[in-house]
Structure formats: C-alpha cells, structure tokens
Amino acid sequence: MNKIYLDNNATTAVKEEVLDAMLPYFREQFGNPSSVHWAGRMVSSAIEKAREQVAELLNCSPAEVIFLSCGSEGDNYAIKGTAEALKHKGNHIITTAVEHPAVLETCEALEKDGFEVTYLGVDRDGMLDLKELEAAITPQTILISVMWANNETGNIFPISEIGAIAKKHRVRFHTDAVQAAGKIPVDVRAANVDMAVISGHKIGAPKGVGAMYLKRGTKINRFMHGGHQERNRRAGTHNVAGIVGLGVACELALRDLDSNYAYVRQLRDKLEQGILETIPEVKLNGHPDADLRLPNTLNVSFNYIEGESLLLFFDMKGIAASSGSACTSGSLEPSHVMGAMGVDIVLAHSSTRFSLGPDNTEEEIDYVLNELPPIVQRLREMSPLYNREEPTPLSCDECRMVHRA
Amino acid sequence: MNKIYLDNNATTAVKEEVLDAMLPYFREQFGNPSSVHWAGRMVSSAIEKAREQVAELLNCSPAEVIFLSCGSEGDNYAIKGTAEALKHKGNHIITTAVEHPAVLETCEALEKDGFEVTYLGVDRDGMLDLKELEAAITPQTILISVMWANNETGNIFPISEIGAIAKKHRVRFHTDAVQAAGKIPVDVRAANVDMAVISGHKIGAPKGVGAMYLKRGTKINRFMHGGHQERNRRAGTHNVAGIVGLGVACELALRDLDSNYAYVRQLRDKLEQGILETIPEVKLNGHPDADLRLPNTLNVSFNYIEGESLLLFFDMKGIAASSGSACTSGSLEPSHVMGAMGVDIVLAHSSTRFSLGPDNTEEEIDYVLNELPPIVQRLREMSPLYNREEPTPLSCDECRMVHRA
Amino acid sequence: MYTEKVMDHFSNPRNVGEIANANGVGEVGNASCGDIMKIYLKVEGDVIQDVKFKTFGCGAAIATSSMVTELAIGKTIDEALVLTNQAVAEALDGLPPAKMHCSNLAADALHEAIKDYREKHPA
Amino acid sequence: MYTEKVMDHFSNPRNVGEIANANGVGEVGNASCGDIMKIYLKVEGDVIQDVKFKTFGCGAAIATSSMVTELAIGKTIDEALVLTNQAVAEALDGLPPAKMHCSNLAADALHEAIKDYREKHPA
Ligand SMILES: Cc1ncc(COP(=O)(O)O)c(C=O)c1O
Ligand SMILES: Cc1ncc(COP(=O)(O)O)c(C=O)c1O
C-alpha cells in the first residue's frame, strides 16, 4: 500500500544524516558530558557543536541556547520562569487564543496562582490585531507570548512587529517557534525576541529534545531544578544523542530552507487548489493569502464529515493527515484554534490538516487528489447532516452525552 | 590505551539489545503515537509495551507508569506536583540532607514559596535515624522524600521501613530510585511507596528518558503543562525511541539482576579490599557493611589529594571514575553528601567514586589496583598537605579566593 | 487503538442509509459533541424488519451505529429496548476508554427510534 | 575542557617540590576551597634563581602552579611581582571559566613568597 505522510506538523521522520550523526553517542561515546574523564570529554564538545548549529539557525549566540527535552518544556520554562522571576514587577501576561496547549495550559495554571492573562482573539482568518495587542499592555504586563506560526492553520504571525511593540514597552517577548523553525527564516535577533522555543522532532531530529533561545541577560527562574547542567539553567543529564541530532537537523534546515520550502510550497499549493476545485463545500481554514501561512500547511474543513472518520478513511488509502476534531485529541471540544477563528462547530469537527515535508512528491499529491473525492462523498452520504432539510440541533444544552445508558 | 569505565552511576552505555530495539523508531516507525493514522498506530503499541516492561521492574500496574524526560524531571514533578496538590493539607516536607540536587534544589525552591522542609541528617556512615524521621512528622507534613540508594556512597536506605512509617502517618512517600532500580530489587508495592522515579541512562537505556511510578489514586498537579499525552499527566510528544529503549532496559535489568549484580558485587569487593589494603590513609565513605551499599559502588577518600587531579591522572591511564570534589561539579563546595556525613573538608575534596557495571572484568580491576598506588603516591608528593608539620588553615574565613589579582 | 471488529464495522459499515417509509426514526447526539446518530426503523408486527443509520462522528460512532443495526434487525421491539450501549461496545470487542461516551450512543438512537414508532403507533 | 598546554603542565608539572634552604615561602588558598598552593623561592641578588611548588588542587591549580614557576625563574623580584594570575592563565592558552577563581592563584602564591623574602631580607 501507498504510505503518504502528510502530517509533518505532528512529527517528522528522523533524517538519515541526523541519525548517522547520533548513532555513535549511544554506545561508543556514551559518557556523561559533565564527567572529567575521557568518556565525558568525548561528548562535551559534541554538545557545544550542536549548540553552535542551533544558534546559527536562530541567529543568536551559542551561549544563548539551552537544551531541553521538548517544545512543551520550553514553553513551560519560558512562561513560568518569567512569571516567577518578574512577579515583583507585575502579574499580567498577554498571549493569544490560538497558542499550543503548552502555552495555553501553562497560562491557565498561572491564572490560578494570581496572574492575569489576556488571551487575544483572532479574526476569521486566524490573524491578530496588533493594535489590540499594544492596547492590552499595562504597567503590570511582564510577558507577551505569541507563537511564530500556528501548528493547525500554518498562519505566520508578525513576530518582528510584535517584537518592536514589546521593545517599545519594555515587555519581555516569548515566541513558540516550534512550527516556524526550519520552515521559514527565524531570526530571533532581527525580530527582537527574548525567548524562542524549538522542538527537534518537527525538523527531522528525534522526539524528546528541544531548545530554547534565552537572550543574554534575561532573568528567568529555573523550571527543572537539580544539577548544574546548561550553566544552571536546566538540570538533568544531557540527552547527548538527541542534542547532537538536533544540532545536525538545525544545520540541514538552515542549509536547505530555501530550496526545500520552495518545493514544498509548490506541492502544498497544488494540493490546496486541487481540493478546493474538485470538492464542493470545502472551507479553507487560515489566512487566504498563502504567503501568510507556512509553506507546508493546508487546513480545510470538509463540511458534514467528522474529522476522525475522515482520517481513518484516508488512512485506509495510506494517507496520513490530522484533524481538529475533538475525537482525535482526547478532549471533548474540537480545536480551540477553529473556535477562536469563529469556525462553525460542525466545520471545526470537520477540519483536516495536511502538513507536507520535503520528502513528499508530486505523484503523492496526485494520488491524494484522486483518492479524496470519493472518500469525502462516501462519508457525506453516511452523514445525517448532508442534504438535511430540518435544522441541526447545535446548542450544547441538548447534548445527549448525558443520555447514555 | 586501556579504557576502563568505572563511572556507571554517572551514566551507562546503551545496551546493544536496547539500541537494536530503538532503531526502528527513528525512521521507519517515526509517527506521533497520538496520531490516528498508520504512522501513529505503529508506535502507540510500542509505548504501551514499554510501559508494561517498566511496570514489571517496579512491580506496579502499567497504568501507574508515566514516561518523562529524565530522573530530574521525575523528582521535580513528584515534589512540586505534590506540594501544589496538597498545600491545602499542610506545608511541611521531610527529606534528607544527602538527596540528589534534583530533590534538594526543588525543596529549596519550595521553601521560598512558603513550604517548610526538614532535611534529616545522616550519621558518619551516611545512614538515617528512622526515629528522627518519624519524630519529624507533624500534622502539616504532606510528603516524605527519601532516595532508595545514594548516588555517591551507594548507601541503601530502608525504604520499606520508611514506607511503613509513611503509611502509618498517612503521609505521601516519594523515593528517588534512580540509582537503585536495576541494581537491587525495587518493589514499590511491597515498600508502600506512592511515587518512585527512575532514569533510563543509569540502566543501559539512553539519556533523556525516565519514568515515574505514581500510585493509582495519588493526586498530583501537573509539572509539564500542555497536551493530553500520558493521560494528562505529562505534556510533550513522546520520546518514542527513548521510551522503547527504557522498556527493554527494564526488562533486561529485571532478567539479569541477580546474576549481574552477584558478579559486579564480587568485582567491587575485590577493588574495595585491594585499595584499602595497599594504599595507606584511605577512608571508606558510606556504610562499612557492604550489604547496605549498592553492589556496584565504592567511595573512598585518598587523603591529601584533591579529587579532580586524581581523576585526571586516572584518566591518563584510561580509568574513568568520579569525585565529590567541588572542582568536578561546578560548585564551590565539595559534595554535600560528604558534608552531611561529617567527612573532613580535605577528605571530602579527596573523595572518589568507583561505580561498576556488568561489563567490567576481573582484569580491569587488577589493572586498576596496579595503577592506583603510584598515581596516589605521586600526587601526594605534590601536595603541601602531605607530611606537613604546620597545621593547615582550614577555616573558610581565611579563604584566599578574595586575594586574586 | 480500535479493535479489528470496530475497524471492520467502520470501514464496511452495515445498513447505511435511510428507509424511505420508515415508521420510527430516532436521533441522538449533537454537533458540538461531534457525534450525531440517526436510526430509521421499519417495524412490522413488533419485529424490526429493517433498520438503517446515518452518522456524523468518529470511527467509534460509525462502528457502533453499524453494530447496533446488526444487533437490532430481526429482534422484537422489547428485545431491542434491552440492548445497551455497553452491549454494543462489547459486541465490537470493546472501545477505547476515551470513546465510551459521546461516540457510544447508538443504542440510545435505536431506543429513540422505537419510542418514535410507539408514539406513532400506540398499542 | 582544558587546553593542551594545561594538560601538559598538569601531567608533567615543572618544578614540583620544596627548596630545602628557601629564602622565601608563600602559601595561598584554603582546604575548604579545595586549592592550596605553596611556593618556595631561592632569591639571589634580586633574581629568582630557583622556584618550586607544592599544590593541593584540581588540574588547573597544578598547571598554573607549574606555569608560574616557569615564568618566574630567572626573573628579578620586581619583574615577578608584575606577573598576574591572568597572565599565567594566558600562558596556558586560557582556563575554563569555572576555573578562573580559586584554581588560578599561583601568581598570588608567588607574590606571597616574594613578600616573605622581602620581610626576611629588608633592603
Ligand atoms: C540519585 C539520582 N537522582 C536523580 C538523578 C538525575 O537523573 P537525570 O540525570 O536523568 O535527570 C541522578 C543522576 O544524575 C541520580 O543519581
Ligand atoms: C506550536 C507548537 N508548540 C509546541 C509544541 C510541543 O512540542 P513537543 O511535542 O516537542 O513538546 C508543538 C508540537 O506538538 C507545537 O506544534
């Protein structure tokens, strides 16, 4: 069977060069980089090399890079660490309603501790109003946290503009760059970012490793307490192989950014046009201007069909994608991103994300464009919402979950 | 050159079977286990298998195992998560002065947030007084945290007895089992433990993965906020390869525990006797009864010699060990464990840990026993403390650090 | 995560569609929960002669709908009323824990359809 | 982490020992810091004819001690007094940041020894 992986925003395969670079660090060079002896020395320089590779992708100094276990840890650390370090200055945080749960849940946890959080809304295209952002800043504001690009829609936020606003008001600025890094240029210095978070497994490094850019001089409380690793900024024995992999992945990402993503963009545009042209009642989620979305991401709602069943039917044809349906996330509500954009509840349950990568081919896109229409049609035929005359009950009061036997 | 690795308490090489099991999960089975499609399904069952393997080593139910990024994360999570979840019940935590920094620093951070922490002292052998522990419990006590075995001395604490005390007083009991797991039997159920933490890289799995046993029904606040992974108990995309590796390492550890550690114990005993018999003025650190220490650990102080220089000279002969000297840890004070045991300050700087593993051989021990005496003698000849007549200035008031140009 | 039986019923759902002259129709669920199930019945002399469904929902929702139609067909109304969501899940060799709620309402939809039939055809 | 020069001076330290009839002795450091350096001088006509050291301390402490003896030998007292810890570190091609403090006191020990000489031999 064909296996067509269009879920690169969820995770990516480890690149061959990355795995090759990692392999020696499991058995031959297995030492603890904190050790004084040969086994430690062999690996500590590998970590410093990786630090340089990450720094180069982000355009910062290696000393400003902290290795972590994942993107979520970076978001937790940046936000909680800032809140604690700056609580004498104020208790107000500004973020957006469309952040990743690693940011949103962290902010919600801080609300319970007495912090006030402004969740900026977005328009129907999923975009922020920068005037609203600036107006939300108060003398109590200690942090602005806005993602560089959204994982569901691919929308790219105007990070340089936000950086300028943050600088003007002397407010610290954190950006979750997990989806942006490696797909579009991420220059933390040019954008006036104070903290930026990336995750290895979104860019061809393994799962379980991430990094944070922490601008020199930025005061932050520890998140992971313990040993003196990472110059006292992150305790825990270094994930040496993962860090080496992250470094190589960053180097490759930087080297291949332009060529890879011109190619990926063209495949994505083909998929986008193909779907919108051949299947009726499909809604594009995200900004209609494709330049304002990541070059690899397409999010559409196939009206009348719940996302998980669509994914499972795609899967029977070997096509891997993802959905904003509640049923695929373990939560009861569909995607908060669709909700924030004011997407109708059925369309939110129907939202489907195709996220491409440089390994995809034109033939794969042709195959997908061929297979999709009959699947969509078959599921629509099965749906009580399709060609329905009576109105659909939409209010949650009527939700029949309570009726279960 | 010979390469003799006697630093297995710092980290271990990944076992061959472990690496073999991990390899498919980097590229062929690279999916995100949270995904609905083929790529996700392929890996989610691998995670559940690993969960069973970990559960078996610890004698708990798989549902009680949470995968994490390292041992430090487990200690942070267990302690902070309990403190937050139970702060309505009390604000007192009992731990020991000889815990790993991941526990000690976490407790110190909580002290700043209004928690009270009792750091139980240890005797000259590094052992706790259980009466003192029980007497320290107040109606405000919400947590007892005592490590299963100490990383520096190898001392094994009476976890079952402490578990019984905790149960009697209905106080939650956390144990850092990072050094114990895989070296001695760790049965969390028999010992009445509520939370236990292990780390992969101490038992032949890679760095960057760990696990926590969380007894069913134990209320804990999240440490890593974000996605719904690990049934809402730990956010962040699963480190699939690392988790698979941890599972296999646990299975091997359980299978080989008895045979491996009878063998390791015999090598350790030989090294111990050899050093104590052939080198004068060596002090054993830890309990003199070898049954009360991990079978692989030997900690001795070579009087008059600072630990780092000893390690570097060992290293020139290919021998990898570690030291409690301040100069090897990046801190200004030598080992807090030696300090808590009342070890003289020079002897604390001289403390050296040899931690063996099943890959070591009798020939290696012979080689070490041969090489050590001349190294020790040479460094002693270089030391102004050796054969000194005048007293050594020992008070820190006189510390000449301030005199630097 | 799904059993083979779930996957079978999901990928080849039985009795999809509407019954033109159904004499009992029931619908449960809600768009905001992401699951709506509609059951059409043809009852003759207290026996369910035909049953069809339409479902908007996840794999579990479709599979349970399909399974409930198989279980109901040929049964008397009273027998069908004893069918529980739990029994449907068991007939599918179980459902993932996360799917035991809104996605497992097919028996409820059947009961609603029977209720509708009874209201229209009082004994 | 250490430069080659540090490793060289550490593994083959120059001028280790005591001078039986030293006319200047200096000691700095403290056991609690983990570093004690003792310098023995033989000064003749304002020139350092011989210098030896004994050090308890880490690799950096031993290497800086060794280096300071090499730098001091043959110098006049006044020249030797200008030697700084920083200069010693530079002569070793640098030290890791964590070692720039207590482990880098060898020039201080030399200065103490010169002070001792001067006290015993007032001009
Ligand atoms: C007793 C003990 N606890 C915790 C840890 C921390 O484990 P990790 O390095 O995986 O964070 C270690 C090892 O470093 C340890 O020896
Ligand atoms: C925007 C964004 N932030 C954070 C994360 C979390 O990264 P990780 O899974 O490495 O914790 C993800 C991916 O899951 C993401 O897409």
Side-chain angles (χ1 to χ4, degrees), chain A residues 70-72 75 100 147 151 176 178-179 199 201-202, chain B residues 236-237:
Chain A
C70 61
S72 299
D75 289 334
H100 189 270
M147 67 205 317
N151 44 310
D176 174 339
V178 167
Q179 290 295 345
S199 177
H201 71 99
K202 310 288 189 187
Chain B
T237 302

Side-chain angles (χ1 to χ4, degrees), chain A residues 304-306 308-309 312-313 316 327 345 349 378 381-382 384 388 390 394-396 399-401 403-405, chain C residues 2 10-11 13 16 27 29-34 36 38 54-59 85 99 101-102 108 112:
Chain A
Y304 313 121
I305 310 176
E306 191 275 339
E308 190 200 89
S309 50
L312 289 169
F313 271 84
M316 290 184 228
C327 266
I345 189 87
H349 279 292
R378 182 166 173 211
E381 303 285 348
M382 219 183 276
R388 187 186 185 103
E390 331 98 81
L394 281 179
S395 111
C396 219
C399 183
R400 298 296 293 269
M401 278 181 58
H403 273 250
R404 70 178 181 277
Chain C
Y2 287 130
F10 167 67
S11 44
V16 179
E27 186 178 271
N30 179 294
S32 60
C33 312
I36 301 177
K38 194 165 182 179
K54 281 207 165 182
T55 288
F56 166 85
C58 64
N85 292 324
K99 301 288 184 177
H101 302 299
C102 42
D108 291 356
E112 289 292 315

Side-chain angles (χ1 to χ4, degrees), chain A residues 19 22-30 239 241-242, chain B residues 12-15 19 22-23 26 206-207:
Chain A
L19 184 58
M22 288 169 61
L23 286 179
Y25 294 94
F26 290 114
R27 289 180 51 75
E28 298 99 66
Q29 293 175 248
F30 65 88
N239 174 357
Chain B
T12 62
V14 175
K15 289 186 181 147
L19 183 57
M22 288 169 61
L23 285 179
F26 290 114
K207 302 177 215 332

